[in-house]
Amino acid sequence: MRSFRIILWAMVAIAAVLFGVMFFQQSRGVSSEPVSHAANPAKDFGGAFTLVGADGKPFSSTELAGKPYALFFGFTHCPDVCPTTLARLVRLRQELGGSEPQILFVTVDPKRDGPKEVGTYASLFNAPIVGLTGSPEQIAQVKKQFGIFSQEVNDGAGGYTVDHTASVLLFGKDGAFAGTISPEESDEMARAKLKRITA
Amino acid sequence: MKSELVSLAALLLAACGGPAAAPNIAVRDAWARAVPQAKGSAAVYLTIANTGGTSDRLIGADTPVAAMTMIHETSLAGGVMRMRHAAAGLEVAAAAEIHLKPAGAHIMLMSLKAPLVEGGTIPMTLTFERSGQRNIAVAVTDPLAAGPPAKE
């Protein structure tokens, strides 16, 4: 009986030590979390990137220097919001006249969307759209840089759809982030935003 | 155009008969954006009007131009777009209309077997829980369209 009690107390002691260590680690973890993201959101947002173009060749963001552009993340198996968004951007750009801003479509579904797929998709709208894909790592990296969320979800028919951030990101001639266009915003508002970055 | 006149006439006739304990379904303005290749997906949008006395439910859709057809609902929350299979279909309440439109509900065509040619139509059969099957013609618009083609 006595040895049993000792063992029980030993277990209590071990549990207390483990609990203390966990608590200590956790509080340390919170304070040692990188602060840079919160302190400099603009600095951490965006930045240079390299993806793969519809021609299968590397596409560097340096090719966008000096020109305003609209960046949209989607996937080619998306029949509704993605074509609706791209069609709207093309239509509004036509209304503004001219060829600016550049419209870029980046896939969040690199498994199914290779260079050929994004190229075909970009050409659906009879207007210049830059279709971009990349390796899963490249896509994950770019998503992180631009704060884009995406997630594969079973579609109930043996395949999958991809939930994703549907906002269009706008960038001015200087490459600086210039706001977003949400799918819920009116055409008038969206057009005004596009006009501002091409001015 | 003709089929819409016919369904409008049918609607008026049915309305004259007084409200019955049955749904009265009419489908109009079915459209889809052109897709140049027999590949990938497309979305069909349309309006379903129920002038009857009880609700009905769109529970299925079929077309020869796609290997698979499903009813989908899109939701936008917190800037994130999500698309889901409407497993229970879409209800059309009595004396109400539902509008399948961009960024809302749509009929998704998966694995297209034929291109959707601008200016043409594609045949589709809709299945309703109570009203049975309806054959419709979906107008194929230009790829930049935001709505059905304007009526002449």
Side-chain angles (χ1 to χ4, degrees):
Chain A
M1 269 290 94
R2 210 172 146 227
S3 53
F4 185 62
R5 269 230 244 125
I6 290 173
I7 290 170
L8 270 184
W9 277 115
M11 282 170 66
V12 169
I14 290 170
V17 167
L18 279 176
F19 187 72
V21 166
M22 267 172 56
F23 185 74
F24 182 61
Q25 289 277 48
Q26 229 183 22
S27 60
R28 267 192 71 212
V30 164
S31 61
S32 65
E33 197 179 321
V35 145
S36 62
H37 192 82
N40 295 304
K43 239 176 113 191
D44 284 351
F45 182 81
F49 60 85
T50 303
L51 289 171
V52 176
D55 55 5
K57 302 204 184 95
F59 178 93
S60 161
S61 55
T62 54
E63 299 184 41
L64 299 167
K67 295 172 279 190
Y69 58 99
L71 189 56
F72 178 67
F73 292 80
F75 62 111
T76 71
H77 280 69
C78 166
D80 179 31
V81 169
C82 302
T84 301
T85 304
L86 289 172
R88 170 154 98 151
L89 286 175
V90 168
R91 216 172 52 239
L92 296 178
R93 184 174 66 184
Q94 283 176 353
E95 287 171 19
L96 290 177
S99 57
E100 292 187 338
Q102 268 194 291
I103 298 170
L104 280 74
F105 169 79
V106 179
T107 182
V108 293
D109 187 11
K111 272 198 329 232
R112 289 187 298 202
D113 296 343
K116 206 156 67 100
E117 283 73 26
V118 296
T120 304
Y121 198 74
S123 67
L124 273 182
F125 308 93
N126 294 333
I129 293 180
V130 180
L132 297 171
T133 178
S135 68
E137 293 74 31
Q138 285 176 315
I139 296 294
Q141 173 62 32
V142 170
K143 271 168 50 186
K144 209 163 79 155
Q145 283 172 249
F146 294 94
I148 298 296
F149 167 83
S150 82
Q151 184 172 19
E152 282 177 25
V153 175
N154 213 303
D155 70 1
Y160 62 88
T161 179
V162 186
D163 291 355
H164 64 92
T165 304
S167 311
V168 175
L169 306 179
L170 300 173
F171 296 84
K173 288 191 175 72
D174 54 358
F177 176 57
T180 66
I181 297 175
S182 140
E184 291 145 319
E185 286 176 36
S186 68
D187 277 2
E188 286 66 46
M189 242 184 123
R191 195 187 306 118
K193 290 183 175 181
L194 290 180
K195 190 155 182 220
R196 228 178 298 142
I197 60 171
T198 61
Chain B
M1 276 294 100
K2 251 227 240 156
S3 62
E4 282 164 48
L5 281 175
V6 169
S7 42
L8 179 61
L11 255 181
L12 289 171
L13 279 175
C16 289
N24 191 9
I25 295 291
V27 181
R28 64 173 199 270
D29 296 336
W31 67 284
R33 295 188 189 98
V35 178
Q37 287 191 338
K39 199 178 172 211
S41 314
V44 171
Y45 309 103
L46 43 83
T47 295
I48 303 173
N50 180 3
T51 53
T54 62
S55 69
D56 203 344
R57 189 172 282 274
L58 174 70
I59 55 173
D62 210 11
T63 173
V65 307
M68 190 152 196
T69 308
M70 286 171 85
I71 303 167
H72 277 181
E73 284 175 294
T74 299
S75 65
L76 272 166
V80 177
M81 180 225 89
R82 297 174 208 272
M83 192 171 68
R84 295 287 180 270
H85 174 215
L90 299 174
E91 193 192 0
V92 194
E97 290 188 347
I98 62 169
H99 302 272
L100 282 66
K101 54 187 203 276
H106 58 273
I107 295 172
M108 180 162 170
L109 310 185
M110 293 143 85
S111 296
L112 290 175
K113 297 198 284 194
L116 303 187
V117 179
E118 183 180 341
T121 63
I122 55 174
M124 178 169 275
T125 303
L126 301 177
T127 304
F128 291 88
E129 192 171 40
R130 289 185 162 127
S131 304
Q133 298 200 322
R134 291 297 156 93
N135 293 322
I136 62 168
V138 179
V140 181
T141 66
D142 73 86
L144 298 185
K151 296 206 174 55
E152 293 104 55

